[in-house]
Amino acid sequence: MESFLKETARDILTNYPNLSRITVVLPNRRAGLFFNRHLGHLINEPQWMPEVKTVEDLFYELAGQKSADPLTLIFELYKVYTDLKSNPETFDRFYFWGEMILKDFNDLDQFLVDPEKLYGLLEDIKTLEGDISYLTEGQIELIQQFWKSFERDGGPQQEKFVKFWQILLPLYRSYQGALEIAGLGYSGKLYRKVVENLEDIPKPENQYIFVGFNAFTGTEERLIKHYIKQFDAQIYWDLDAYYIQSKVQEAGLFFRDYQKDKIFGPTFPKEMPSHIQSQPPTIKSYVTPLKVSQANLISHILESSGQNEALEETVVILPDEQLLFPVMQQLPSNIDKVNVTMGYPIRNAPVYAFLEAVLELQRYVKLEEGEIKFYHRPVKELLSSVYLRTGQTDFVHDFLTKTQEQNKVYISQQDLYRGGKLFELIFQKLSAQELFGYLETLIKELAEMLVEEKLQRSYLYQCHKQLVRLKEIFKEQKDIEVSLEFFIRLFRQIFREVRLPFEGEPLEGLQVMGVLESRNLDFKKVIIANMNEGSFPPSASLNSLIPFNVRKGFGLPVQEQNDAIYAYTFYRLLHRAEELHMIYATASDQGKVGEKSRYIHQMEVELGIEIPEEVVFTPVDLGSTPEISIPKTPAVKELMDKYLLQEEGKSITAFSPSALNVWLDCRLKFYFQYLANIREQDKVEEEVDAAVFGNLAHYSLENLYKGFIYRKKRRVVEREDFENLKEFVFPAIEKSIRDFYHLSEEKDTRLSGQLAIVRDVLQHYIQELLKMDMSSAPFELISLEKDQHYKTSVPIEVGGRIQNVVIKGIIDRVDRQDGTVRLIDYKSGMDKKEFKGIDSLFERENKNRNKAAMQTMIYGLLYKAKFPDNQLALKPAIYNLREIFGDDFNPYLQLKPEKGPKVEVNDYRDYEVDFERGLKRLFEEIFDPEQPFDQTDDLDKCNYCPYKDICGR
């Protein structure tokens, strides 16, 4: 295979033996490297090499200056804008549409459009009735179509657009003058300046040769034509008959126009090269379900290469730069030399994510009574980074645990400072003016930490270099104030474009590059990843304030031209290739559909070939998820012994009513929760969910009545006590919040947001509950929550031996009223009090099994065991806070058989025989060695189960 650049080098060497008198102009520097290499191989005697430059170099050389920094140009544009506008927007708001204006100005100049005509044309539709001889019929039709699009709006949109449009022409004029005074310019302005003064360009001493161009801007076309006509410059086209002779092939769009040109036309070869059809490569496509799987596939294709194949003749094209590291990590071990020409985006680096998180933190800082506080989410994100965890693992772990326990939504700066020097540096409240110095100091601090991490330090170096550039630009703009929000957005935008360059020998080893870097280069084996529509070619995106029809009417580039450029870039890879491997993924990614590229379809139709496609997949078991069943092995039985009464009369732990309900719901869930001790991950709750609300209600009622006992030195509550009790509702709730969130006595509990609303709702509920208690007064408080430890054992037979299973419970409130002991359970949900019968409480398949009733019946068992001499009735009760406002509210359990009337449960002892029999059977099932821990058959119970991902349900 002889590449285009080698052929060109051979022809130049034949026609121009004295290379020192030659200047070769190429589209990019990489093509220049390969051109020089080929030329060096062809020269057989020492001589000076020709001058090789890019077309950009040529323009800047003729203009006598280079394009200014984009940010500096926008600052200058903003200054002009503020002079023209009586009530200008802030720079923050101007910046992002100012970028589009600058891009449009650049396009106008690059394509030599008269701004007076373009911006002046649209001020009034009547203009179309004036002198428009400079427009073709097609251009006039396009502009009229644009105006017609406003008609259905009745004019307001047209008026609004014209009002905005009117400022653009004076802005363009004034901007040009301001740049001249400042000695600055953007590329389009400099290119236009060169072209408008073509007659002043002196005849060059060297022979100019333009190599490998495809699509010119208006200024490039004028300059190159001038060099051909006036200075006898030569041009070598890199093309193929396949896409030039077919009028529907977008890859030949520009060439077909140039062929008709009186200056370019004669420069085309008389015999058009036809590599694609005469020597087509072996083409194969691959489809894989995941984007990242392409890296493995590329490695496999490279491994299959022959030992005699030169790596330099193989290229991997990556339209998506995110695949770079996966591809590099998966390269076969026999590939020892790789040249990467595409930079790796800094935004994908961990250190950039950390710096961005540091800036994001500044959005969520508040000053409360002179104390700086940070919102918990960005703090947790920063604490999870390796940079803050290094050397402070215990502190970070303890800090996050404490934050969770206290449910801190905002975290104090002083608490974070305990982490050390880096914590003090990061957790500050900053103004926009302080950010440059702050970030510079932070980057240097990180660099000192990462002495052994060369790659990370490289990222930091690129970040620091870009930061210093920004700092210098902003320093010169003293009259423009920048907000914190704008700085963060600008940081993201600027750093998004920064790339980490890779060092290597550009002419050796496997070549890995992006799409546009491959221009003019030829390879025997071409592997293209991400051959998906939306990646190659990329999806349409043309940010411009100039409407599409107007752009097209004035000959400015639109998506059609972009499509043509990318189509040419693809097809020229086929010119001299012997193998073409195209890989695409079926999974959608970042809004892009998982569809194969149009180029694959085009080749099949237009070349008339069938491209074999290999489906590469990760084996997936499409069968049903296997059931999980954990047998009672000796190790598991040993775990269960903790619930049994030991010889010394104690047990390690005991069953709770909740544990028994979990067993009846799902035996596997019981195993995960109570034997394997797999817990749900705690998190800071900004919203007060039902569980938190229930806990606060329990604590508040306990505090209220405990406070009463402490103050009155008695347990009997009389009717006249309730007026005084109401005054202690608020303090009881405050104490419950303090206790729940582990706040010290001196800690301020001033509440805001949802928690303040919850406090008020709780007050409302508890005041209503006090009314109900007053109606049943007097009563004597026997125990409140943890006042009494209720525990007993139930004898069961396991493996021919009698074992005593221990059960415990915390009864929210036990009181004595009118000769009855009430066992009260507070509920914040909608728990029912009706149940069909004692057996229904133990029926696993019963979807309406009353768990709350079972819990309160267990309280009866526990109380009776605690006070065996008790002769009073034991009456279970459920106080549903949501139902206490009803006139017919009744807190007592109701036995409701399928036939017959409801019966109120007045005494647990009337049901204890049946209940304890059912409980005994339940315990014997739990300890049955043949009963495994298996999954429930009721999938509805899995919907909100924290272990459903483990089960695959």
Side-chain angles (χ1 to χ4, degrees):
M1 174 200 79
E2 184 158 278
S3 69
F4 163 73
L5 290 177
K6 189 172 183 178
E7 276 185 2
T8 304
R10 188 188 302 279
D11 194 69
I12 290 174
L13 189 59
T14 302
N15 295 321
Y16 305 96
N18 186 1
L19 295 178
S20 64
R21 307 293 294 174
I22 300 294
T23 296
V24 179
V25 182
L26 290 144
N28 57 51
R29 286 182 174 79
R30 182 164 179 76
L33 283 172
F34 276 79
F35 175 81
N36 277 335
R37 183 183 72 165
H38 293 311
L39 197 57
H41 288 166
L42 294 169
I43 294 172
N44 51 23
E45 59 183 28
Q47 65 168 300
W48 291 105
M49 292 291 279
E51 181 184 21
V52 177
K53 63 177 70 172
T54 66
V55 69
E56 182 183 59
D57 295 334
L58 177 59
F59 267 100
Y60 288 158
E61 181 184 304
L62 294 170
Q65 68 180 111
K66 291 188 177 183
S67 176
D69 183 272
L71 190 56
T72 301
L73 291 169
I74 292 179
F75 274 122
E76 291 298 320
L77 184 64
Y78 180 69
K79 290 175 185 176
V80 175
Y81 162 77
T82 55
D83 290 340
L84 292 173
K85 197 84 168 159
S86 56
N87 54 340
E89 293 185 343
T90 63
F91 183 70
D92 297 17
R93 291 177 59 84
F94 173 83
Y95 178 82
F96 295 96
W97 61 270
E99 275 191 313
M100 278 196 282
I101 292 177
L102 187 57
K103 181 181 179 300
D104 286 342
F105 286 177
N106 189 67
D107 284 348
L108 290 182
D109 290 338
Q110 285 278 15
F111 288 86
L112 300 172
V113 174
D114 187 342
E116 302 280 341
K117 292 177 179 177
L118 185 140
Y119 289 127
L121 173 71
L122 297 175
E123 290 186 11
D124 193 330
I125 193 168
K126 292 180 181 179
T127 308
L128 291 176
E129 300 170 5
D131 180 18
I132 53 174
S133 58
Y134 56 87
L135 295 175
T136 65
E137 289 185 10
Q139 288 174 321
I140 294 171
E141 184 182 352
L142 284 167
I143 295 167
Q144 287 175 331
Q145 286 175 7
F146 165 69
W147 281 111
K148 285 178 183 178
S149 67
F150 284 119
E151 289 178 1
R152 57 179 175 271
D153 297 319
Q157 292 296 327
Q158 179 177 333
E159 183 180 343
K160 187 176 179 182
F161 176 81
V162 169
K163 191 175 181 181
F164 166 76
W165 193 265
Q166 286 172 338
I167 196 177
L168 294 177
L169 181 56
L171 184 62
Y172 177 88
R173 290 173 182 155
S174 301
Y175 187 48
Q176 301 305 311
L179 290 179
E180 287 293 334
I181 294 170
L184 301 173
Y186 52 89
S187 62
K189 174 179 169 58
L190 299 178
Y191 279 36
R192 187 171 199 144
K193 177 183 174 183
V194 170
V195 169
E196 287 176 348
N197 297 282
L198 287 176
E199 301 307 319
D200 297 335
I201 299 175
K203 183 177 180 179
E205 296 180 1
N206 283 4
Q207 170 69 47
Y208 267 74
I209 301 173
F210 295 88
V211 176
F213 287 91
N214 162 46
F216 298 119
T217 65
T219 52
E220 289 170 346
E221 184 175 335
R222 284 275 298 275
L223 180 69
I224 293 172
K225 281 182 179 180
H226 180 76
Y227 267 71
I228 293 172
K229 185 177 180 181
Q230 300 297 327
F231 307 140
D232 196 29
Q234 301 297 305
I235 188 164
Y236 287 83
W237 302 100
D238 187 6
L239 40 70
D240 193 274
Y242 167 67
Y243 47 76
I244 290 182
Q245 293 172 356
S246 171
K247 293 182 179 180
V248 297
Q249 241 299 344
E250 66 267 41
L253 176 70
F254 295 101
F255 289 130
R256 288 190 291 273
D257 287 342
Y258 298 153
Q259 274 186 308
K260 300 170 189 174
D261 186 87
K262 63 180 181 180
I263 295 177
F264 280 150
T267 66
F268 277 76
K270 294 178 182 178
E271 188 176 335
M272 197 69 66
S274 182
H275 299 290
I276 294 177
Q277 287 183 305
S278 63
Q279 298 175 327
T282 302
I283 304 174
K284 187 174 182 180
S285 69
Y286 307 80
V287 54
T288 181
L290 299 174
K291 184 172 79 171
V292 73
S293 302
Q294 297 178 83
N296 294 325
L297 185 53
I298 290 170
S299 175
H300 177 72
I301 295 170
L302 291 171
E303 279 181 339
S304 63
S305 301
Q307 291 184 349
N308 296 326
E309 291 185 26
L311 283 176
E312 302 81 46
E313 295 181 339
T314 298
V315 66
V316 176
I317 305 288
L318 300 179
D320 187 346
E321 57 206 4
Q322 289 185 346
L323 270 178
L324 178 58
F325 271 17
V327 167
M328 297 294 287
Q329 289 167 355
Q330 295 294 328
L331 288 178
S333 57
N334 63 314
I335 295 181
D336 56 353
K337 289 184 179 179
V338 181
N339 178 49
V340 179
T341 61
M342 57 191 299
Y344 186 72
I346 292 292
R347 69 174 183 271
N348 293 338
V351 72
Y352 170 78
F354 180 73
L355 292 175
E356 189 178 47
V358 169
L359 286 177
E360 190 71 16
L361 179 75
Q362 294 300 318
R363 282 180 166 169
Y364 302 99
V365 187
K366 72 174 183 176
L367 196 62
E368 191 175 274
E369 293 188 343
E371 185 179 13
I372 296 172
K373 292 187 175 182
F374 301 94
Y375 184 53
H376 71 102
R377 287 188 179 173
V379 171
K380 288 176 73 174
E381 184 178 343
L382 283 167
L383 292 181
S384 65
S385 71
V386 66
Y387 309 108
L388 285 179
R389 281 185 174 272
T390 302
Q392 293 288 353
T393 306
D394 292 340
F395 171 80
V396 171
H397 177 268
D398 294 343
F399 187 88
L400 290 175
T401 302
K402 187 177 179 181
T403 301
Q404 172 57 40
E405 286 177 351
Q406 298 182 357
N407 204 63
K408 288 185 177 179
V409 178
Y410 278 89
I411 299 170
S412 164
Q413 182 188 52
Q414 293 304 316
D415 291 342
L416 288 160
Y417 275 10
R418 297 191 186 101
K421 181 182 175 183
L422 189 58
F423 285 72
E424 291 180 13
L425 177 60
I426 288 170
F427 295 103
Q428 299 182 43
K429 186 178 187 302
L430 302 163
S431 65
Q433 291 70 32
E434 297 171 308
L435 283 171
F436 281 115
Y438 169 76
L439 283 176
E440 199 169 352
T441 304
L442 178 57
I443 288 173
K444 289 177 180 177
E445 186 69 26
L446 290 172
E448 288 179 14
M449 284 176 53
L450 302 169
V451 175
E452 303 299 324
E453 300 283 343
K454 291 185 178 180
L455 185 59
Q456 295 275 39
R457 284 173 65 88
S458 297
Y459 290 139
L460 286 169
Y461 172 73
Q462 294 298 325
C463 288
H464 184 263
K465 189 167 72 170
Q466 196 71 5
L467 188 70
V468 170
R469 182 180 72 87
L470 281 176
K471 184 179 177 181
E472 292 303 313
I473 292 171
F474 272 87
K475 192 183 292 184
E476 295 172 7
Q477 313 299 328
K478 296 177 182 177
D479 300 332
I480 299 175
E481 290 189 6
V482 176
S483 70
L484 176 69
E485 185 68 26
F486 172 71
F487 184 94
I488 294 172
R489 285 191 293 161
L490 184 64
F491 176 89
R492 284 178 171 160
Q493 178 156 337
I494 299 293
F495 280 72
R496 186 178 58 205
E497 306 302 325
V498 180
R499 280 163 169 71
L500 179 68
F502 288 86
E503 294 181 358
E505 171 50 57
L507 304 176
E508 290 185 16
L510 174 71
Q511 303 293 309
V512 179
M513 61 184 66
V515 172
L516 295 178
E517 286 87 349
S518 68
R519 287 175 296 180
N520 300 144
L521 306 182
D522 294 298
F523 302 92
K524 282 186 178 180
K525 179 179 285 187
V526 178
I527 303 169
I528 310 176
N530 264 91
M531 279 295 292
N532 284 80
E533 195 66 24
S535 290
F536 195 16
S539 54
S541 60
L542 194 67
N543 293 327
S544 173
L545 292 172
I546 303 172
F548 171 83
N549 282 6
V550 178
R551 288 185 69 92
K552 192 171 177 65
F554 277 86
L556 291 171
V558 292
Q559 190 56 39
E560 181 183 357
Q561 279 77 31
N562 286 350
D563 287 344
I565 290 169
Y566 274 95
Y568 169 74
T569 307
F570 171 75
Y571 281 104
R572 76 148 313 283
L573 285 168
L574 276 64
H575 285 185
R576 292 166 169 82
E578 296 177 7
E579 292 180 35
L580 175 63
H581 302 267
M582 299 177 292
I583 309 168
Y584 70 95
T586 56
S588 58
D589 177 58
Q590 297 179 350
K592 301 172 185 175
V593 295
E595 180 183 345
K596 71 168 72 172
S597 170
R598 71 185 76 164
Y599 300 146
I600 300 177
H601 292 295
Q602 284 177 355
M603 284 192 295
E604 288 182 317
V605 173
E606 295 170 7
L607 284 173
I609 60 173
E610 184 176 341
I611 299 175
E613 183 172 276
E614 180 179 335
V615 178
V616 182
F617 61 91
T618 303
V620 176
D621 185 3
L622 298 179
S624 59
T625 305
E627 296 291 327
I628 301 176
S629 180
I630 299 175
K632 290 194 176 81
T633 62
V636 173
K637 290 177 185 177
E638 189 175 337
L639 285 175
M640 296 185 66
D641 286 346
K642 65 182 179 180
Y643 293 108
L644 298 177
L645 204 62
Q646 306 300 315
E647 292 180 1
E648 64 274 15
K650 294 182 179 180
S651 65
I652 297 172
T653 188
F655 283 99
S656 64
S658 299
L660 296 179
N661 277 319
V662 169
W663 171 270
L664 287 168
D665 277 348
C666 177
R667 288 182 279 257
L668 185 62
K669 183 179 179 180
F670 175 88
Y671 174 83
F672 288 146
Q673 188 169 338
Y674 293 100
L675 296 180
N677 291 319
I678 301 174
R679 303 293 183 190
E680 291 183 74
Q681 186 175 4
D682 290 333
K683 59 182 180 180
V684 173
E685 294 288 352
E686 295 179 52
E687 297 184 358
V688 181
D689 60 17
V692 173
F693 182 85
N695 285 327
L696 292 175
H698 279 72
Y699 290 171
S700 300
L701 289 164
E702 181 185 6
N703 292 335
L704 182 65
Y705 279 116
K706 277 187 175 179
F708 171 83
I709 295 171
Y710 178 78
R711 291 190 306 274
K712 300 294 185 180
K713 309 301 181 188
R714 57 182 165 88
R715 289 180 171 271
V716 177
V717 185
E718 305 287 353
R719 287 179 65 87
E720 54 269 20
D721 292 322
F722 283 91
E723 199 61 39
N724 179 257
L725 266 171
K726 290 177 184 178
E727 297 177 7
F728 289 92
V729 171
F730 186 87
I733 296 172
E734 288 281 301
K735 188 176 187 310
S736 75
I737 292 171
R738 196 182 295 279
D739 292 342
F740 184 79
Y741 292 120
H742 305 277
L743 302 175
S744 59
E745 287 295 326
E746 65 276 4
K747 191 75 173 179
D748 181 18
T749 57
R750 182 171 53 245
L751 305 178
S752 60
Q754 197 178 46
L755 203 55
I757 296 171
V758 167
R759 176 195 58 200
D760 296 340
V761 171
L762 271 176
Q763 277 188 273
H764 194 45
Y765 279 150
I766 294 174
Q767 295 282 6
E768 191 66 25
L769 188 141
L770 287 180
K771 289 179 186 178
M772 192 176 68
D773 278 353
M774 186 170 70
S775 68
S776 62
F779 55 83
E780 180 186 359
L781 296 168
I782 297 173
S783 69
L784 295 167
E785 295 273 354
K786 302 180 183 68
D787 269 358
Q788 291 279 1
H789 295 281
Y790 292 96
K791 186 183 289 187
T792 188
S793 62
V794 177
I796 63 169
E797 185 177 340
V798 180
R801 294 174 55 205
I802 299 298
Q803 299 277 15
N804 288 291
V805 183
V806 182
I807 184 171
K808 66 178 180 181
I810 297 173
I811 307 175
D812 293 339
R813 177 172 134 195
V814 181
D815 65 27
R816 186 181 297 112
Q817 189 251 351
D818 285 344
T820 298
V821 175
R822 296 189 300 176
L823 310 170
I824 299 172
D825 192 28
Y826 299 129
K827 295 290 186 186
S828 59
M830 299 292 290
D831 298 87
K832 303 297 183 186
K833 299 165 192 72
E834 298 175 354
F835 62 102
K836 290 181 181 179
I838 295 298
D839 288 343
S840 71
L841 301 178
F842 301 96
E843 291 174 355
R844 177 175 281 104
E845 291 76 20
N846 183 357
K847 288 182 177 289
N848 298 315
R849 185 174 67 82
N850 194 324
K851 299 177 184 180
M854 180 182 179
Q855 185 170 343
T856 53
M857 293 296 281
I858 288 175
Y859 292 163
L861 169 74
L862 294 172
Y863 187 88
K864 182 175 174 292
K866 179 78 173 178
F867 302 103
D869 297 332
N870 172 69
Q871 298 299 314
L872 300 179
L874 303 176
K875 193 166 187 176
I878 299 173
Y879 277 25
N880 299 85
L881 295 181
R882 294 189 186 184
E883 296 179 358
I884 57 176
F885 296 96
D887 295 333
D888 58 347
F889 176 70
N890 183 351
Y892 303 114
L893 297 186
Q894 307 288 321
L895 185 65
K896 186 183 179 184
E898 292 185 3
K899 295 180 181 180
K902 288 194 291 187
V903 178
E904 190 165 289
V905 177
N906 290 312
D907 191 351
Y908 161 77
R909 295 175 302 175
D910 297 339
Y911 306 92
E912 69 173 309
V913 175
D914 290 341
F915 184 77
E916 290 179 16
R917 185 189 303 118
L919 190 62
K920 184 177 179 180
R921 284 199 304 268
L922 178 60
F923 280 133
E924 286 176 344
E925 179 188 280
I926 293 173
F927 283 89
D928 181 357
E930 302 303 319
Q931 174 61 60
F933 298 96
D934 52 11
Q935 295 163 294
T936 179
D937 294 327
D938 185 357
L939 296 182
D940 289 338
K941 293 177 180 177
C942 301
N943 289 336
Y944 301 102
C945 177
Y947 309 108
K948 65 179 181 180
D949 290 337
I950 298 176
C951 297
R953 289 188 164 184

